[in-house]
Amino acid sequence: MSAKTATKRKRQEKGEETKKRRKSSGADDDEPQTTKIQQLEAEIQESRKHYNNIATLIEVARKYEKDPRNALAASEALCRIFIRLLAAGNLVRKRDASDKDAAVTGWLRDRLADYRRVLLAMFRSKKLALNGLVLAMALLKAEAQHMTDGVDAVFPRYFFSDIVASLIESPIEQLREQFSEKFVDEYHDIRFYTFEAIKTYLNEREHSVDEDTQNTVFDMLISMEDVPESNDDLEEFYIEPPQKKKHPLRLLSQHKKKAQEAWLALMHLGLNKDQRKKVLDVMANSIAPWFTQPELLMDFLTDCYNSGGSISLLALSGVFYLIQERNLDYPEFFAKLYSLLDADMLHSKHRSRFFRLLDTFLGSSHLPAVMVASFVKRLARLALNAPPSAIVVIVPWFYNIFKKHPLTTFMMHRVPRSKEEKDLLESEGLEDPFLPDEKDPMETHAIDSCLWEIVQLQSHYHPNVATIAKIISEQFTKQAYSLEDFLDHSYGSLLEAEMSKEVKKPPVVEYMIPKHIFTKATPGSEEQDSLLVSLWDFGSS
């Protein structure tokens, strides 16, 4: 072994020993600090004269960025200390207390406020955010139970509002998910006061709420979608509930009122297009059921419905919900619905939702056949340039509409009745009486037209479309088609279905198998030259 190699090995061994020593030294440094924290906690428990240790522990907890391990130990110790003090009644102001005791109580309450601020600041720490939330909620529960002279627990609204505000402003998405999963979804009182805190937060910062904050609040509100059905469903409480049966926490109407106020506070901020789409997408299922007065949504929904485009499509279900549940008067509803039928709609990702609603709207047998015919004719015209995935929905929908509205079946096959009409048809052809630019579905003359577009679709390049278009030309023996079987088709699904078919008989590509492709046929034979040879010279004689 060379002297150079031996020297190098000694240096490595010495470096490893130094690293081990440093690591051991760091662990030893943490050990005394943890022991000291435990000692400070024990001294506080022994005597009031050691209350100043609380301030020391708070200073350690404030250093959560530099020393997260000891800061967490100090925070957990403080949580235990304050819960004991609260349970002993040492933080409740008493009328008959001496000046000295009142001063101590005031000092303890100030330290409690400092500790709250430390916990809320931890909500921004990637390492300690979840721990801070658990400690804050434990402290909240202790305050509710012991920070009052009365029999019933009193929910600490101000502290909880600060918790919710810190959650909204925290960059840790996982923290909000944990809060929703462990507290909001589990306890009805936490959800009740979360709605209240969100409303307060938005109202106090009405002119300073940015787009990211709006999105965060929206995500928090939309996660609270399970609406109880009655007062009896309000059973799970984080804080011991009041005994009075008419207390707001025990009334479903009050829970809905808080949710309604929170949603309205968000909507009044002025949402941009993407945010409106998010709200409208869940309006009928997750937002409107929370409202005790759904009519408060009328202005928002009608404005969205009148704006046109995809916003109108999304607002459609919300407007229908108000018409159905709250008797909203929308006199030009069907005219607006008719205006939504355009080429963009058939290419929209919301097409399935639109057809489900359209099937509901036009399902009533009390609607005028003239108006229904306008929708049928408009869709038939649009189908000429629609994607195959849209056509396979439109044609079965026609079938169902014809079954529900027999008067519109005249459009399927209109033949000339008099000799004059036949002569005119043969000499000049047919002029379609349908007025495609008319906005009023009662004035389009669609009922006088015929669905010649369906005949064109029967020669469509896609075999599935051509096949399904032929059902209009056959006898109507089927009661109705289920639209759900056709709504989720796309180019991909249609292509996959075609590729997965079992070919029983291979198609004939050439009626005669050629003997020569790149060379000329043998002179004197009956064989003809191939098309390739007749077009290009491949150098063969």
Side-chain angles (χ1 to χ4, degrees), residues 304-490:
C304 292
Y305 189 51
N306 293 332
S307 62
S310 59
I311 295 275
S312 293
L313 284 176
L314 291 170
L316 195 57
S317 57
V319 171
F320 177 67
Y321 176 87
L322 292 181
I323 292 174
Q324 188 179 42
E325 299 294 329
R326 294 290 170 168
N327 298 320
L328 169 67
D329 184 21
Y330 200 105
E332 296 183 357
F333 176 78
F334 284 101
K336 182 63 183 176
L337 182 65
Y338 184 72
S339 70
L340 296 180
L341 293 175
D342 55 19
D344 292 336
M345 187 275 297
L346 295 181
H347 289 82
S348 171
K349 65 180 181 180
H350 306 296
R351 181 182 65 219
S352 298
R353 171 187 289 195
F354 177 79
F355 272 103
R356 286 189 184 97
L357 292 170
L358 187 65
D359 191 48
T360 303
F361 299 150
L362 299 181
S364 173
S365 58
H366 299 290
L367 294 176
V370 173
M371 184 177 70
V372 176
S374 296
F375 283 88
V376 172
K377 182 64 178 179
R378 180 77 165 256
L379 275 173
R381 187 66 59 86
L382 291 172
L384 293 175
N385 296 307
S389 54
I391 301 174
V392 297
V393 180
I394 292 173
V395 177
W397 183 79
F398 284 168
Y399 186 99
N400 293 348
I401 287 294
F402 288 142
K403 294 286 283 187
K404 292 176 183 177
H405 302 274
L407 290 177
T408 59
T409 55
F410 293 106
M411 300 172 66
M412 282 191 289
H413 186 62
R414 192 179 297 278
V415 294
R417 298 182 180 180
S418 62
K419 186 176 183 303
E420 290 78 8
E421 288 179 352
K422 290 181 181 180
D423 294 339
L424 184 64
L425 180 63
E426 291 175 358
S427 60
E428 299 182 9
L430 173 69
E431 182 178 355
D432 197 335
F434 174 64
L435 304 176
D437 297 327
E438 175 60 49
K439 295 181 179 180
D440 187 354
M442 297 293 291
E443 302 293 336
T444 61
H445 301 294
I447 195 71
D448 300 323
S449 179
C450 65
L451 295 181
W452 55 266
E453 296 90 350
I454 295 295
V455 179
Q456 301 300 314
L457 294 177
Q458 291 173 354
S459 303
H460 198 275
Y461 73 88
H462 197 291
N464 289 355
V465 174
T467 301
I468 204 167
K470 292 176 183 177
I471 65 173
I472 303 297
S473 300
E474 299 171 356
Q475 289 187 356
F476 279 33
T477 56
K478 192 178 181 69
Q479 183 63 31
Y481 283 92
S482 174
L483 286 186
E484 294 299 326
D485 297 337
F486 305 94
L487 287 173
D488 295 326
H489 279 302
S490 61

Side-chain angles (χ1 to χ4, degrees), residues 517-520 529-540:
I517 297 178
F518 297 104
T519 59
K520 292 184 178 182
D529 291 338
S530 68
L531 180 63
L532 287 174
V533 173
S534 62
L535 292 175
W536 290 282
D537 183 6
F538 292 96
S540 59

